[in-house]
Amino acid sequence: MSEFDQLYREVILDHYRNPRGHGELDRPDAEAEGQNPLCGDEVTIYVRLAPDGETIDEVKFSGRGCAISQAATSMLTELVTGRTATEVATLPKDELLEEIGIPLTPVRLKCALLGLGTLKVALHKAKGTPLPEEWAGMAGDLDLR
Amino acid sequence: MSEFDQLYREVILDHYRNPRGHGELDRPDAEAEGQNPLCGDEVTIYVRLAPDGETIDEVKFSGRGCAISQAATSMLTELVTGRTATEVATLPKDELLEEIGIPLTPVRLKCALLGLGTLKVALHKAKGTPLPEEWAGMAGDLDLR
Amino acid sequence: MAVTAKPKLDAHRLRADFPVFEQLFHGKPLSYLDSASSAQKPRQVLDTMHEFYATSYANVHRGVYGLAERSTERFEAARETVRALVNAPSSREVIFTRSATEALNLVAYAWGLDNLGPGDLVVVTELEHHSNFVPWQYVAKRTGAAFRHIPIDDAGELQLDALDGLAAEGRVKVVANNLVSNSLGTINPVEELAAWAHEQGAIMVVDAAQAAPHRALDVQALGCDFLALSSHKLCGPTGAGALWGRRDLLEQMSPFNLGGEMIRSVALDRTSWNELPYKFEAGTPAIGEAVGFGAAIDYVTGIGLEAIEEHEHMLVAHALERLAEIPGLRAFGPPPERRAGIVSFDIEGIHPHDVAQVLDWEGVAVRAGHHCTQPLMTRLGVAATTRASFYLYTVPEEIDRLVEGLHRVKKVLG
Amino acid sequence: MAVTAKPKLDAHRLRADFPVFEQLFHGKPLSYLDSASSAQKPRQVLDTMHEFYATSYANVHRGVYGLAERSTERFEAARETVRALVNAPSSREVIFTRSATEALNLVAYAWGLDNLGPGDLVVVTELEHHSNFVPWQYVAKRTGAAFRHIPIDDAGELQLDALDGLAAEGRVKVVANNLVSNSLGTINPVEELAAWAHEQGAIMVVDAAQAAPHRALDVQALGCDFLALSSHKLCGPTGAGALWGRRDLLEQMSPFNLGGEMIRSVALDRTSWNELPYKFEAGTPAIGEAVGFGAAIDYVTGIGLEAIEEHEHMLVAHALERLAEIPGLRAFGPPPERRAGIVSFDIEGIHPHDVAQVLDWEGVAVRAGHHCTQPLMTRLGVAATTRASFYLYTVPEEIDRLVEGLHRVKKVLG
Ligand SMILES: Cc1ncc(COP(=O)(O)O)c(C=O)c1O
Ligand SMILES: Cc1ncc(COP(=O)(O)O)c(C=O)c1O
């Protein structure tokens, strides 16, 4: 199998063409917007928690992105549903990468992990779970409004 | 004659060991302090003008420096005495360099021309003659006093 | 009037100067169509740097010994080479920086912090590179000045009829624009903007990072006050760039970076500045890289900037014609005669990252992203584009490979 | 406890790595005794840079294609090499700069402008290099903070008993010191200063430009908050340096230079910053130079920093002993066991420029000047000194040539 066929293997193209969890949630319990500084892609993640306030009941996402980021975020929604916020906040990225199951270069890794990072930020904002380290340094901006 | 003997030829060593015009002037008509940023050498130039307010009657200098800068400044005092301020303000540096009469590398050129530049600054301050271009960009400092 | 043949260059022959093309990628030769991001380096530049470091290197400006003199001479000769490239009146006005980005920050900090305040307007354009955009946003915010932009029309050209409205809003103090847009290739009317800026009492800051590699520059003809460029886009090493500034402005400005080299004297309670250009070159400069930058300018001007410009026009016309074959492909920007060798495009329904990834496996290197022009992307209604850009070593066959590759992209991901 | 032999290096053998020594100057071999100003470059570093540019160069971080990935990998590997050199907890905390000077300016601007104000004290030392002195003077002036210094004693060592007096004067917010003085070679008690700084609630900024080439560094053991170093003093190319900073401080800081690469997103009215370390690396970085910096660190650590330190102690002891032969020569600074391979001296009645000039004709390259430490020169009561400095390629015979040369100097100019 060529590198090419491996990267765009059937399951990736399937998730890309028919993303699970694509859409928005009304009045979500957690929400965050993420940007990939390399290409300008944006994703918004919405989380609905179970009545225990801990278990993730539903995750949806909206936004634009490449096949890898769309497929990875689609897989992510399946991966985390039913888990607790605390678990997901410390979910090793390798677990998602295994799911994706293809070798990724550093740039494409950013694409693949945009959804996961944004989900962790959403949980951090709603529940105070740890912030992923690559987001901590982003604190701050220049607001001219 | 080796490069070495040329640079430190007898006339240079003579001016260095017995500098003409070394000393200070009381209540000079023009005065300025110059620094060589490359080595920290400092020179102060004092000028006495003739009653016409134009002709340079006497030039003296104080400060520390290497053989080249001391000798060059010593030669300078002889070179400019009797000329007008306006003439000296636009004196081509080559005229002094010819007097020195030895090939100089860019760093040693700075040494040789420190006195002339400082003299031009003194005249600029006293008489409004043009500022040498290499001093114009120095305008400004950071004063914590 | 004598009829003169248009200057020509032989890109097939020039390619041999670039060792990077001797390799295969994914088993295929390399079509490097990302020169707007950074140019490849010819042997001539690499050998000069190697030779310089091996035989003539020492720290510059202060050493009395022969090696230091030699090093200083080479460094200052490179400054003169940059001066000649941009036709500056004096090499005292040429400051070495790390990059065009740093050159623009130097102006924003050292001129902006002391000269801007509430009621003042800083005017950039909608197609600026972030490097001539964010520094101005930053100093505007710090000083209380207003931050405004000149919009573009649908062809990617500046809408100069917006200028009157801007002038009515406050005192215009800075106008900042790139001479060539790195995303669209648009050649902007910098002379007109400079004239307008001066009518307003503003300074005109030109980002020539993308223009310098591709066309002859003349700061006096442009009528600008500052101009930034960088080495790495012009076949030179990274780590070197330059700022040209008008002498009287540079003389009035405070320094930016502070430290060794930029001082006349330092004491506990008072420090005064060195002469131009050293006042703006704190610390050990990028000596070997400046020498490499000089060698790169020699290389490029040896070929001839007019010949390069002509070559790129030919390539971009060919590219626009061939890209029109691809269904769903939308190319942004002006017609070939008003642009440099850069084409940005969108393929309906396919993300630029995926386009670039598939092309990579075909041995075609293009850039996918916002190209550090997010406000422009927003204006175009996309997050990113795919961009192919050309240089003196680009041959038309590479554009044909790009088009073939795009057919493949469509087949797989369309 | 096992007895371990002290590490040794063979400087005669290492010299063969440095092509600069293959030439004659004024018909004589070169004794390069100016390594504190900048080190010479071994073939290994030059070849790595050449090879990198020839085979693996593209702009970093954004490209999807293979060449850009390769380039990014090499650049980020160099970052990891710097991290390991200073034992930083994470390579996210390592920021590439042009030089140590720029690294120090980054801290002064990006931390200083937002965190200093009236009533605060910025404390430097009397033996600082201008690059860790003037930036602090500048931000102190801009913010209204007071600027103070720790004096030295006659042996060139810091007078720590002045600290209490400083603490009584106001809120100490910054303590800035070089680990090794470039003029005297003094190894300063940075750990103690860092502990004191933290007691005061201040940050400790270490200038390791002169220490990094000569001894093992450990930012965690030093207990500092920022540490600056540069490539060119460590056998690497110019145009590259690094700042290490404590993560939480870097996260809170605003950026310094702004532009491409350092943003997360840019819009007309709002721009947000990228993650560490990119937030502080605006524009195209010095990619090839970072790769060369990495190769230089590999070269130097391959020899072993302990072996280098030991070698320099041997040389400096030899130099101090032999220089004592020259009548009227006064050597500044501490005894050999408390200094790096640097000797500054004065010869009564002879200006350092003249000393260096005569030595040059003997093939001996030394530095004459204030070495960017004018406040120290003022303290020593001289305008300038002559400085001889050593590195891994220095052999004792070169010091003997220096001493012979000084006899000649005395004969001509004494
Ligand atoms: C102690 C010290 N600090 C700072 C610097 C400046 O570093 P750079 O040459 O990287 O600008 C130097 C070298 O000149 C130095 O010796
Ligand atoms: C138009 C334009 N301006 C500025 C820059 C930034 O220049 P540098 O890469 O030298 O930081 C670039 C290149 O990225 C550019 O294309």
Side-chain angles (χ1 to χ4, degrees):
Chain A
M1 207 162 55
S2 75
E3 275 173 308
F4 170 81
D5 295 322
Q6 237 191 321
L7 185 57
Y8 292 107
R9 70 200 178 102
E10 212 36 65
V11 51
I12 299 286
L13 289 179
D14 176 46
H15 271 275
Y16 167 51
R17 291 185 175 127
N18 312 295
R20 330 300 193 246
H22 200 273
E24 306 191 0
L25 282 184
D26 204 34
R27 304 229 251 133
D29 297 305
E31 178 180 350
E33 201 189 296
Q35 275 138 339
N36 183 343
L38 301 188
C39 62
D41 283 345
E42 287 170 352
V43 67
T44 306
I45 300 270
Y46 311 84
V47 182
R48 171 97 60 231
L49 296 175
D52 66 2
E54 256 297 318
T55 313
I56 293 176
D57 238 17
E58 194 177 6
V59 176
K60 286 203 172 257
F61 74 100
S62 62
R64 51 194 173 183
C66 61
I68 303 299
S69 85
Q70 295 290 299
T73 309
S74 166
M75 289 173 172
L76 175 73
T77 64
E78 293 188 329
L79 190 71
V80 300
T81 304
R83 301 212 193 182
T84 69
T86 317
E87 244 182 295
V88 171
T90 56
L91 186 86
K93 56 177 189 252
D94 284 347
E95 217 181 304
L96 176 61
L97 295 179
E98 249 166 59
E99 200 67 25
I100 303 172
I102 47 174
L104 291 170
T105 61
V107 167
R108 302 319 299 271
L109 209 60
K110 291 255 179 213
C111 305
L113 296 174
L114 177 61
L116 177 60
T118 307
L119 171 59
K120 289 185 179 187
V121 172
L123 295 174
H124 167 77
K125 293 201 311 191
K127 311 272 311 168
T129 51
L131 201 59
E133 78 166 2
E134 68 275 18
W135 287 76
M138 292 185 171
D141 61 12
L142 197 67
D143 199 333
L144 303 181
R145 289 169 305 196
Chain B
M1 208 162 52
S2 76
E3 274 173 308
F4 170 82
D5 295 321
Q6 237 191 320
L7 186 58
Y8 293 107
R9 68 199 181 103
E10 212 35 67
V11 50
I12 299 285
L13 290 179
D14 176 48
H15 271 274
Y16 166 51
R17 290 184 176 129
N18 313 295
R20 331 300 193 244
H22 200 272
E24 306 191 1
L25 283 183
D26 204 34
R27 304 228 251 133
D29 297 306
E31 177 179 353
E33 200 190 295
Q35 276 138 340
N36 182 342
L38 301 189
C39 62
D41 282 346
E42 287 171 351
V43 67
T44 306
I45 300 269
Y46 311 83
V47 182
R48 170 98 59 233
L49 296 175
D52 66 2
E54 256 297 318
T55 313
I56 293 175
D57 237 19
E58 193 177 6
V59 176
K60 286 204 171 257
F61 74 100
S62 63
R64 50 193 173 184
C66 60
I68 303 300
S69 85
Q70 295 290 301
T73 309
S74 166
M75 290 172 171
L76 175 73
T77 64
E78 294 188 328
L79 190 71
V80 300
T81 305
R83 302 212 191 181
T84 68
T86 317
E87 243 182 298
V88 172
T90 56
L91 186 85
K93 56 178 190 252
D94 283 347
E95 215 180 306
L96 176 60
L97 295 179
E98 249 166 59
E99 200 68 25
I100 302 172
I102 46 174
L104 291 170
T105 60
V107 166
R108 302 318 300 274
L109 210 60
K110 291 254 178 213
C111 305
L113 296 174
L114 178 62
L116 177 59
T118 307
L119 172 59
K120 289 186 179 186
V121 172
L123 295 173
H124 167 76
K125 293 199 313 189
K127 310 272 310 168
T129 51
L131 200 59
E133 78 167 2
E134 68 274 20
W135 288 77
M138 291 184 171
D141 61 12
L142 198 66
D143 200 333
L144 304 181
R145 289 168 304 194
Chain C
M1 214 176 86
V3 179
T4 49
K6 283 210 173 155
K8 279 244 184 283
L9 62 77
D10 181 350
H12 283 97
R13 194 177 53 75
L14 292 175
R15 278 176 91 76
D17 291 338
F18 293 79
V20 73
F21 297 120
E22 288 161 19
Q23 315 161 78
L24 297 182
F25 286 81
H26 304 284
K28 307 188 176 86
L30 175 65
S31 287
Y32 182 73
L33 303 182
D34 195 22
S35 291
S37 173
S38 199
Q40 291 298 333
K41 320 303 174 201
R43 227 177 291 280
Q44 288 86 335
V45 168
L46 300 183
D47 290 349
T48 299
M49 288 178 71
H50 198 292
E51 167 273 319
F52 169 75
Y53 274 126
T55 67
S56 309
Y57 176 77
N59 215 329
V60 286
H61 296 314
R62 287 154 188 284
V64 168
Y65 53 87
L67 193 59
E69 271 158 24
R70 223 195 263 173
S71 185
T72 304
E73 236 166 64
R74 298 282 293 270
F75 181 67
E76 291 301 328
R79 194 190 304 280
E80 169 56 25
T81 304
V82 175
R83 186 210 62 73
L85 180 75
V86 304
N87 193 31
S90 160
S91 64
R92 281 183 191 276
E93 300 172 346
V94 174
I95 297 155
F96 279 121
T97 62
R98 173 185 28 255
S99 59
T101 299
E102 199 200 19
L104 295 163
N105 276 272
L106 194 165
V107 182
Y109 271 93
W111 191 90
L113 285 182
D114 285 339
N115 289 286
L116 293 173
D120 294 336
L121 250 60
V122 175
V123 177
V124 301
T125 83
E126 205 168 11
L127 46 60
E128 273 337 282
H129 189 279
H130 293 162
S131 293
N132 201 22
F133 189 99
V134 188
W136 296 114
Q137 260 184 329
Y138 178 82
V139 289
K141 174 86 180 184
R142 267 213 181 261
T143 59
F147 179 73
R148 295 288 180 271
H149 70 278
I150 304 171
I152 54 167
D153 64 21
D154 290 336
E157 304 202 65
L158 293 178
Q159 294 193 287
L160 297 187
D161 47 13
L163 294 180
D164 287 346
L166 290 168
E169 273 195 70
R171 286 184 305 272
V172 180
K173 283 296 216 35
V174 177
V175 180
N177 181 215
N178 52 37
L179 181 50
V180 170
S181 153
N182 65 306
S183 285
L184 300 180
T186 323
I187 299 166
N188 292 306
V190 159
E191 297 89 335
E192 271 179 77
L193 281 178
W196 179 76
H198 291 154
E199 276 167 33
Q200 314 301 312
I203 59 165
M204 179 72 211
V205 181
V206 175
D207 169 4
Q210 205 57 246
H214 305 297
R215 50 201 335 248
L217 283 181
D218 182 335
V219 294
Q220 304 186 56
L222 289 173
C224 57
D225 299 294
F226 293 98
L227 182 134
L229 69 159
S230 75
S231 156
H232 72 93
K233 298 204 198 261
L234 198 146
C235 294
T238 49
L243 175 70
W244 167 80
R246 212 181 266 286
R247 172 97 62 106
D248 53 336
L249 292 171
L250 292 175
E251 281 173 0
Q252 291 153 27
M253 279 156 64
S254 294
F256 176 38
N257 281 349
L258 304 108
E261 193 66 36
M262 52 68 68
I263 57 92
R264 177 161 55 136
S265 71
V266 174
L268 296 169
D269 57 3
R270 180 158 181 254
T271 287
S272 57
W273 316 134
N274 200 348
E275 64 186 275
L276 292 177
Y278 311 112
K279 178 166 110 179
F280 294 104
E281 293 182 357
T284 302
I287 305 166
E289 295 60 47
V291 169
F293 188 9
I297 295 174
D298 287 343
Y299 179 79
V300 166
T301 55
I303 293 165
L305 281 158
E306 285 178 27
I308 293 172
E309 193 179 358
E310 185 58 29
H311 178 67
E312 289 188 31
H313 279 311
M314 179 273 286
L315 291 170
V316 85
H318 181 63
L320 287 171
E321 196 183 306
R322 296 250 20 222
L323 288 173
E325 290 171 19
I326 312 277
L329 185 147
R330 186 162 56 118
F332 301 104
E337 60 279 11
R338 287 207 300 285
R339 69 154 97 199
I342 295 172
V343 186
S344 262
F345 57 86
D346 180 60
I347 298 181
E348 208 186 330
I350 309 182
H351 191 282
H353 262 181
D354 298 316
V355 174
Q357 185 85 65
V358 175
L359 287 174
D360 176 45
W361 288 321
E362 303 294 321
V364 177
V366 297
R367 184 125 308 213
H370 51 60
H371 321 298
C372 301
T373 54
Q374 281 198 320
L376 172 63
M377 296 293 120
T378 304
R379 170 66 171 79
L380 299 176
V382 294
T385 70
T386 304
R387 181 185 72 182
S389 55
F390 318 128
Y391 205 20
L392 53 93
Y393 41 69
T394 309
V395 294
E397 294 84 334
E398 296 181 291
I399 291 166
D400 300 332
R401 284 182 69 194
L402 165 68
V403 172
E404 275 161 48
L406 291 174
H407 283 297
R408 170 109 209 247
V409 169
K410 296 276 292 185
K411 217 172 78 190
V412 185
L413 290 160
Chain D
M1 213 178 85
V3 179
T4 49
K6 283 212 171 151
K8 277 244 185 284
L9 63 77
D10 180 351
H12 283 98
R13 193 177 54 75
L14 293 175
R15 277 176 91 77
D17 292 337
F18 293 79
V20 74
F21 297 121
E22 287 160 19
Q23 314 161 79
L24 298 181
F25 285 81
H26 303 285
K28 306 189 176 87
L30 174 66
S31 287
Y32 182 73
L33 303 182
D34 194 22
S35 291
S37 174
S38 199
Q40 292 298 332
K41 320 303 174 200
R43 228 176 290 279
Q44 289 85 336
V45 168
L46 300 183
D47 291 349
T48 299
M49 287 178 72
H50 198 290
E51 167 273 320
F52 169 75
Y53 275 126
T55 66
S56 308
Y57 176 77
N59 214 328
V60 286
H61 295 314
R62 287 154 188 281
V64 168
Y65 53 86
L67 194 60
E69 272 158 24
R70 223 194 262 172
S71 185
T72 304
E73 237 166 62
R74 297 282 293 270
F75 181 67
E76 291 300 330
R79 194 190 304 280
E80 169 56 25
T81 304
V82 176
R83 185 210 62 73
L85 180 75
V86 303
N87 193 32
S90 160
S91 63
R92 282 183 189 276
E93 300 172 348
V94 174
I95 297 156
F96 280 121
T97 63
R98 175 187 23 255
S99 59
T101 299
E102 199 201 17
L104 294 163
N105 276 272
L106 194 165
V107 182
Y109 271 92
W111 191 90
L113 284 182
D114 285 339
N115 289 286
L116 293 173
D120 293 336
L121 250 59
V122 175
V123 177
V124 302
T125 83
E126 206 168 10
L127 48 59
E128 276 333 285
H129 189 279
H130 293 162
S131 293
N132 202 22
F133 189 99
V134 188
W136 296 114
Q137 259 183 332
Y138 178 80
V139 289
K141 174 86 179 185
R142 267 214 182 260
T143 59
F147 180 74
R148 295 288 180 271
H149 71 277
I150 303 170
I152 55 167
D153 64 22
D154 291 336
E157 305 203 66
L158 294 178
Q159 295 193 288
L160 298 187
D161 47 13
L163 295 180
D164 288 346
L166 289 168
E169 271 195 71
R171 285 184 305 270
V172 180
K173 283 294 215 38
V174 177
V175 181
N177 181 215
N178 52 36
L179 181 50
V180 169
S181 153
N182 65 307
S183 284
L184 300 180
T186 322
I187 300 167
N188 292 306
V190 160
E191 297 88 334
E192 272 178 76
L193 280 178
W196 179 75
H198 291 153
E199 276 167 32
Q200 313 302 312
I203 58 165
M204 178 73 210
V205 181
V206 175
D207 169 4
Q210 206 56 246
H214 306 297
R215 51 200 336 250
L217 284 181
D218 182 335
V219 294
Q220 304 186 56
L222 289 172
C224 57
D225 299 294
F226 294 98
L227 182 135
L229 68 159
S230 75
S231 156
H232 72 92
K233 299 206 197 258
L234 198 147
C235 295
T238 48
L243 174 70
W244 168 80
R246 214 180 265 288
R247 171 98 61 107
D248 53 337
L249 291 170
L250 293 176
E251 281 174 0
Q252 290 154 27
M253 279 155 64
S254 295
F256 175 39
N257 281 349
L258 304 107
E261 192 68 35
M262 53 66 69
I263 57 92
R264 177 161 53 137
S265 71
V266 174
L268 297 170
D269 56 1
R270 181 159 180 255
T271 287
S272 57
W273 316 134
N274 200 348
E275 65 186 275
L276 292 177
Y278 311 113
K279 177 166 111 179
F280 293 103
E281 294 182 356
T284 301
I287 304 167
E289 295 60 49
V291 169
F293 188 9
I297 295 173
D298 287 343
Y299 179 78
V300 166
T301 55
I303 293 165
L305 282 158
E306 285 177 29
I308 293 172
E309 194 180 357
E310 185 56 30
H311 178 66
E312 289 188 31
H313 279 310
M314 180 273 286
L315 292 170
V316 85
H318 181 64
L320 287 171
E321 196 183 303
R322 295 252 17 224
L323 288 172
E325 289 171 19
I326 313 278
L329 186 146
R330 187 162 56 119
F332 302 103
E337 60 280 9
R338 288 207 299 286
R339 69 154 97 199
I342 295 171
V343 185
S344 262
F345 56 86
D346 181 59
I347 298 181
E348 209 187 327
I350 308 181
H351 191 281
H353 261 181
D354 298 315
V355 175
Q357 185 85 63
V358 175
L359 288 175
D360 177 45
W361 288 320
E362 302 294 320
V364 178
V366 297
R367 184 126 306 215
H370 51 60
H371 321 297
C372 301
T373 54
Q374 282 197 320
L376 172 64
M377 295 293 119
T378 304
R379 170 65 171 82
L380 299 176
V382 295
T385 70
T386 305
R387 181 185 71 182
S389 56
F390 319 128
Y391 205 21
L392 53 92
Y393 41 67
T394 310
V395 294
E397 294 84 335
E398 296 181 291
I399 292 166
D400 300 331
R401 284 183 70 194
L402 165 68
V403 172
E404 276 161 47
L406 290 174
H407 283 297
R408 170 106 209 249
V409 170
K410 296 274 295 184
K411 217 172 79 191
V412 185
L413 291 160

